[in-house]
Amino acid sequence: MEKIVSLCKRRGFVFPGSEIYGGLANSYEYGPVGVELKRNIQDEWWNVFVRRRSDMVGLDSSIILHPKTWEASGHVTGLVDAMVECRKCHTRTRADHLIEDYFKKKDEKISVEGKSDGDLDAIINENKIKCPTCGSFDWTPVRKFNLLFETHVGIVPEAQSKVYLRGETAQGIFVSFKNIVDSTRVALPFGVGQMGKSFRNEITKGNFIFRTLEFEQAEIEYFFNPEAVDWRKLFEVWKNDLWKFVTENLGVKKTHLRWREHGDEERSFYSARTEDLEYEFPFGFKELWGLAYRTDYDLKRHMQYSGIDLSYTDPVTGKKFLPHAIEPAVGINRLMAMVLLDSYTEDGDRIFLKLPPRLAPYKAAVFPLLKNKPELVEKARGIYEELKKDFMVVWDDRGNIGKRYYAQDEIGTPFCITVDFDTLEKGDVTVRDRDTATQERVPIDRLKEYIASRLK
Ligand code: ATP
């Protein structure tokens, strides 16, 4: 993890948040190549799950929704974590994380899911678990705090003007459900996909971009008639789709992934089944993607709180009912952390990111062999400008070729194209492959086709 964090800063993927002001915990900035990688992952998700499917539509709802949304969804009372504070150094931490980390260090496993505040207090006290920051054993009792960020609409911070930054994108889908059904030709079963920023007041130190205050969430609500569709089968279909996306589209190794089903204590009360697709991060197998069968819980609650009929009328039978929903929910930033970790490769003294070419920030880099030979620079510039019309490519003429390869390897550029004196005579260039470090000559007029064929 330290190697990835350092590479991300060195090469412009991810910077610590607000660094010039001493930093802001659990927040990050995505640098020039980081923003490209993140966008490529977002595009991949949107293309696979929304654009290329005939049973899906997209949505972009507001970050600030009517506050009743979060009362109806249960987040105002339910999106809470149990917290303790060290009386000496004032470190605040999640009680479950404190306990789990303590037992993990002793190579013991403990499950604290579903335990009451009193139970958590008892475990901390019985084991005399110390503060990870200052080493004291002087905790406040466990208390609950809500993860929703509050703010106010308008200039007067009164109770009536209180709103929340969304804690998940999913609720926007339920709130717009009726408008989507009324305005489009969708018929059950169909899904709505939405991607955008969600906000959670996370207090535990977040393992790089795995857990942050704001994150790009990508969620789907897949609606169906529970009498016409067997939810168990549909659940399996979704499991397959998510697995395929991670292993094929994002190129992640299968051995680093597993499914884990939530037990009764852990599962949300409205969910009939929840399984997490977990990735083996350096800090253990952790949730990457949650898949939950949410029944008709959300639509029912929004119907109660809004007084608006959200039921669906079957176009054939005319029967009215509330659809049920299966929800695959993922954080794009977590996908990005996984992709970076999984593609990081050391081969002797060579370090490279073995990113699937489609995800790479730059598809190719173009170099003139020598910076001070105008005929080489001009020729290379022409190739660069031409490729730029179709691909994200980068220009580099600094240092020697070895240094340029080194820099491109570290940001995962699949192809480096060098223009040399032979190019001027023969009309071909050297293309060097990131993964094998082998080189081949490719005619200039075949370069676009060469790159395009490797992006499929
Ligand atoms: P965790 O247990 O890790 O806090 P969660 O169970 O609260 O996650 P969900 O509410 O199921 O998460 O959210 C769906 C997905 O959103 C998660 O699988 C994860 O990929 C992503 N996610 C949730 N919280 C964060 C966060 N603070 N930072 C980055 N991604 C997040």
Side-chain angles (χ1 to χ4, degrees):
M1 195 63 161
E2 277 155 27
K3 286 180 179 175
I4 295 292
V5 174
S6 137
L7 183 145
C8 281
K9 177 150 191 227
R10 190 167 71 240
R11 293 293 177 193
F13 279 101
V14 181
F15 307 128
S18 310
E19 202 180 13
I20 63 164
Y21 288 107
L24 179 67
N26 294 341
S27 73
Y28 292 89
E29 330 290 353
Y30 290 79
V33 287
V35 65
E36 294 298 332
L37 174 59
K38 182 150 78 78
R39 271 205 192 168
N40 291 341
I41 297 173
Q42 286 175 280
D43 288 349
E44 200 69 12
W45 185 94
W46 192 262
N47 285 334
V48 167
F49 291 113
V50 180
R51 291 209 167 131
R52 288 190 204 136
R53 289 182 64 134
S54 47
D55 59 347
M56 288 282 307
V57 290
L59 177 76
D60 187 5
S61 72
S62 291
I63 284 173
I64 299 172
L65 296 165
H66 193 289
K68 269 199 168 174
T69 308
W70 305 105
E71 287 172 35
S73 69
H75 283 78
V76 172
T77 48
L79 191 66
V80 288
D81 280 337
M83 178 194 85
V84 283
E85 182 172 335
C86 170
R87 289 199 180 92
K88 287 269 156 57
C89 72
H90 301 291
T91 289
R92 287 180 180 172
T93 182
R94 263 171 67 172
D96 55 346
H97 287 177
L98 179 74
I99 295 169
E100 279 166 9
D101 288 350
Y102 170 79
F103 281 96
K104 200 172 159 209
K105 277 198 191 112
K106 299 206 310 177
D107 253 351
E108 288 173 37
K109 258 198 142 173
I110 186 169
S111 173
V112 291
E113 276 307 332
K115 292 239 185 288
S116 69
D117 294 356
D119 291 343
L120 296 174
D121 267 332
I123 299 174
I124 294 171
N125 290 327
E126 274 159 26
N127 294 281
K128 298 228 163 350
I129 302 179
K130 290 184 181 147
C131 171
T133 309
C134 72
S136 326
F137 172 64
D138 193 2
W139 296 108
T140 59
V142 169
R143 67 186 155 96
K144 289 275 195 302
F145 80 98
N146 195 289
L147 270 70
L148 286 178
F149 277 103
E150 288 176 13
T151 187
H152 292 269
V153 170
I155 49 167
V156 192
E158 290 166 350
Q160 305 94 292
S161 68
K162 187 160 91 177
V163 289
Y164 305 96
L165 303 187
R166 68 179 170 203
E168 62 173 30
T169 53
Q171 293 308 319
I173 299 177
F174 296 116
V175 169
S176 286
F177 176 76
K178 185 173 159 38
N179 277 333
I180 293 171
V181 172
D182 290 348
S183 64
T184 65
R185 313 277 304 160
V186 290
L188 291 181
F190 72 90
V192 182
Q194 154 146 258
M195 189 190 294
K197 282 272 166 86
S198 288
F199 302 81
R200 294 186 190 178
N201 198 356
E202 305 276 5
I203 54 156
T204 301
K205 221 175 151 3
N207 280 321
F208 193 42
I209 54 171
F210 176 83
R211 186 186 305 285
T212 47
L213 299 178
E214 55 181 274
F215 54 100
E216 205 74 46
Q217 221 180 11
E219 295 191 289
I220 294 165
E221 295 303 329
Y222 197 80
F223 297 102
F224 61 96
N225 176 356
E227 286 180 10
V229 173
D230 178 351
W231 70 264
R232 287 175 189 82
K233 283 198 186 135
L234 189 58
F235 201 90
E236 289 307 312
V237 171
W238 274 105
K239 273 178 74 172
N240 259 328
D241 287 351
L242 306 189
W243 184 268
K244 208 167 145 216
F245 182 79
V246 175
T247 55
E248 292 179 17
N249 298 77
L250 304 185
V252 170
K253 295 171 199 81
K254 291 184 179 137
T255 47
H256 294 164
L257 294 161
R258 71 173 188 199
W259 281 101
R260 187 181 68 82
E261 184 164 359
H262 285 205
D264 289 344
E265 283 192 326
E266 187 183 356
R267 199 176 51 240
S268 308
F269 64 92
Y270 54 79
S271 172
R273 187 192 290 175
T274 302
E275 289 195 40
D276 289 342
L277 179 56
E278 297 188 329
Y279 177 73
E280 191 173 17
F281 288 92
F283 40 92
F285 268 104
K286 292 281 175 217
E287 171 175 345
L288 178 74
W289 211 319
L291 183 63
Y293 171 30
R294 295 178 79 116
T295 65
D296 59 356
Y297 173 80
D298 302 87
L299 284 181
K300 206 191 272 167
R301 294 275 291 192
H302 286 300
M303 202 157 137
Q304 279 167 8
Y305 277 72
S306 67
I308 303 288
D309 183 6
L310 299 180
S311 55
Y312 172 90
T313 308
D314 188 301
V316 180
T317 62
K319 203 173 152 195
K320 271 176 85 170
F321 59 93
L322 275 184
H324 282 212
I326 282 182
E327 176 195 83
V330 72
I332 296 289
N333 318 65
R334 261 185 212 185
L335 290 180
M336 178 163 155
M338 168 188 72
V339 164
L340 284 165
L341 285 159
D342 219 68
S343 61
Y344 181 85
T345 313
E346 288 181 357
D347 181 8
D349 51 8
R350 218 160 73 76
I351 295 171
F352 59 105
L353 292 184
K354 213 171 173 173
L355 295 170
R358 257 201 327 276
L359 300 186
Y362 300 114
K363 310 308 171 205
V366 182
F367 315 146
L369 181 65
L370 297 169
K371 190 181 175 176
N372 55 3
K373 296 283 175 216
E375 62 276 36
L376 293 185
V377 173
E378 193 189 333
K379 188 78 188 164
R381 205 76 208 175
I383 293 173
Y384 167 77
E385 296 296 345
E386 189 51 40
L387 291 179
K388 210 161 177 48
K389 290 180 191 161
D390 293 308
F391 307 105
M392 187 70 189
V393 289
V394 64
W395 172 263
D396 194 2
D397 58 10
R398 289 179 313 169
N400 60 36
I401 290 283
K403 285 217 176 92
R404 296 179 203 163
Y405 284 160
Y406 187 77
Q408 295 303 325
D409 278 348
E410 284 207 328
I411 59 171
T413 308
F415 308 107
C416 289
I417 298 166
T418 306
V419 170
D420 54 21
F421 292 104
D422 278 351
T423 308
L424 303 179
E425 279 178 24
K426 298 186 187 143
D428 58 9
V429 289
T430 300
V431 179
R432 183 256 197 188
D433 182 276
R434 174 196 67 197
D435 300 343
T436 59
T438 52
Q439 303 183 0
E440 61 179 314
R441 295 296 288 190
V442 178
I444 294 170
D445 57 8
R446 277 203 45 234
L447 267 180
K448 279 194 180 178
E449 188 191 320
Y450 181 93
I451 298 172
S453 70
R454 281 155 178 84
L455 294 180
K456 286 205 179 107

